[in-house]
Amino acid sequence: AQKVTQAQTEISVVEKEDVTLDCVYETRDTTYYLFWYKQPPSGELVFLIRRNSFDEQNEISGRYSWNFQKSTSSFNFTITASQVVDSAVYFCALIAAERYNNNDMRFGAGTRLTVKP
Amino acid sequence: DTGVSQDPRHKITKRGQNVTFRCDPISEHNRLYWYRQTLGQGPEFLTYFQNEAQLEKSRLLSDRFSAERPKGSFSTLEIQRTEQGDSAMYLCASSFNPMGLAYNEQFFGPGTRLTVL
């Protein structure tokens, strides 16, 4: 079974604060892929990052960074020095490679981030 | 604009009517996906195509739903005898998956919001 849990339903911060969005996943597969997507008010999901289960290196891209820890089944996302434009719903997602053609991407329920000026 | 496009963006229909949505993927993408997203939830996988072949269908895709991708380019999703529970955002995504690469980031369209009265 595959499952993604985003325990934080809503987070509100003031501009320039750092914020971490939590993501915990469950899968019995040893090969899997984790994703983060951003859904701004316009509604279109925007791809942010993909990480496979064999690559535990953390990644930084500008103000965004991701912390992947297999030991705790977590793939957390941190925004440094948040900006109003970061306001959106953020989704963590998982594809488990149990079957080669398994493209059933499981999304968490999302975390709504509001950044106030 | 070379992104994924969907038409219409909004559809209001009466219970029992049939509706059809269209998705035009990014032109070189060989995979096309359909998702459904209800308020406050993450997208839920419905089905996907590799070129013109429909390779996987979720249990969420009842007999009233049918999807096609006749020439491996655009796709249509039809819902027959709509029910109020079908009200949701229907998202289309596409990805480019060359041979040997099972997973790659999916690019999403803006969605079609369906309201069944």
Side-chain angles (χ1 to χ4, degrees), chain B residues 40-52:
Chain B
Q41 298 298 317
E44 296 171 294
F45 171 80
L46 293 178
T47 188
Y48 96 96
F49 293 83
Q50 170 116 349
N51 301 313
E52 65 274 11

Side-chain angles (χ1 to χ4, degrees), chain B residues 12-89:
Chain B
I12 300 174
T13 190
K14 291 184 180 176
R15 190 162 50 106
Q17 298 293 306
N18 299 344
V19 294
T20 300
F21 311 140
R22 177 181 169 123
C23 170
D24 287 89
I26 294 172
S27 59
E28 64 269 23
H29 285 187
N30 55 347
R31 287 192 182 174
L32 186 148
Y33 310 79
W34 284 100
Y35 292 84
R36 181 174 70 187
Q37 185 178 19
T38 53
L39 206 59
Q41 298 298 317
E44 296 171 294
F45 171 80
L46 293 178
T47 188
Y48 96 96
F49 293 83
Q50 170 116 349
N51 301 313
E52 65 274 11
Q54 188 173 17
L55 295 185
E56 191 161 351
K57 290 196 281 189
S58 160
R59 285 170 296 186
L60 293 174
L61 213 65
S62 77
D63 291 344
R64 297 184 297 104
F65 288 68
S66 62
E68 293 182 345
R69 194 183 183 198
K71 296 181 181 177
S73 56
F74 74 92
S75 174
T76 58
L77 177 68
E78 181 184 15
I79 308 174
Q80 295 183 325
R81 304 180 303 282
T82 52
E83 302 172 357
Q84 287 183 324
D86 297 332
S87 295
M89 177 78 86

Side-chain angles (χ1 to χ4, degrees), chain A residues 28-74:
Chain A
R28 283 191 283 251
D29 293 278
T30 56
T31 301
Y32 51 88
Y33 295 78
L34 294 162
F35 302 79
W36 275 95
Y37 281 86
K38 173 182 180 180
Q39 189 173 41
S42 60
E44 195 162 327
L45 280 154
V46 177
F47 167 79
L48 296 177
I49 190 171
R50 177 187 63 165
R51 172 69 73 234
N52 73 54
S53 52
F54 298 110
D55 181 3
E56 284 194 74
Q57 278 193 340
N58 291 326
E59 182 156 337
I60 298 174
S61 175
R63 296 183 298 106
Y64 294 170
S65 61
W66 290 269
N67 183 355
F68 177 29
Q69 292 199 340
K70 287 177 77 170
S71 59
T72 55
S73 298
S74 65

Side-chain angles (χ1 to χ4, degrees), chain A:
Chain A
Q2 304 162 214
K3 185 179 176 183
V4 175
T5 302
Q6 294 180 256
Q8 304 150 307
T9 307
E10 293 190 34
I11 299 176
S12 181
V13 298
V14 176
E15 212 171 16
K16 297 184 184 175
E17 284 185 20
D18 299 346
V19 58
T20 295
L21 310 181
D22 297 334
C23 172
V24 174
Y25 61 91
E26 292 176 35
T27 178
R28 283 191 283 251
D29 293 278
T30 56
T31 301
Y32 51 88
Y33 295 78
L34 294 162
F35 302 79
W36 275 95
Y37 281 86
K38 173 182 180 180
Q39 189 173 41
S42 60
E44 195 162 327
L45 280 154
V46 177
F47 167 79
L48 296 177
I49 190 171
R50 177 187 63 165
R51 172 69 73 234
N52 73 54
S53 52
F54 298 110
D55 181 3
E56 284 194 74
Q57 278 193 340
N58 291 326
E59 182 156 337
I60 298 174
S61 175
R63 296 183 298 106
Y64 294 170
S65 61
W66 290 269
N67 183 355
F68 177 29
Q69 292 199 340
K70 287 177 77 170
S71 59
T72 55
S73 298
S74 65
F75 187 42
N76 296 338
F77 172 32
T78 297
I79 302 175
T80 304
S82 59
Q83 300 176 1
V84 173
V85 293
D86 295 328
S87 297
V89 181
Y90 290 85
F91 292 98
C92 180
L94 163 73
I95 291 180
E98 195 168 80
R99 293 172 289 125
Y100 181 80
N101 278 322
N102 177 17
N103 273 264
D104 182 353
M105 184 183 281
R106 299 293 176 93
F107 284 81
T111 297
R112 179 177 298 278
L113 173 66
T114 302
V115 182
K116 299 177 182 175

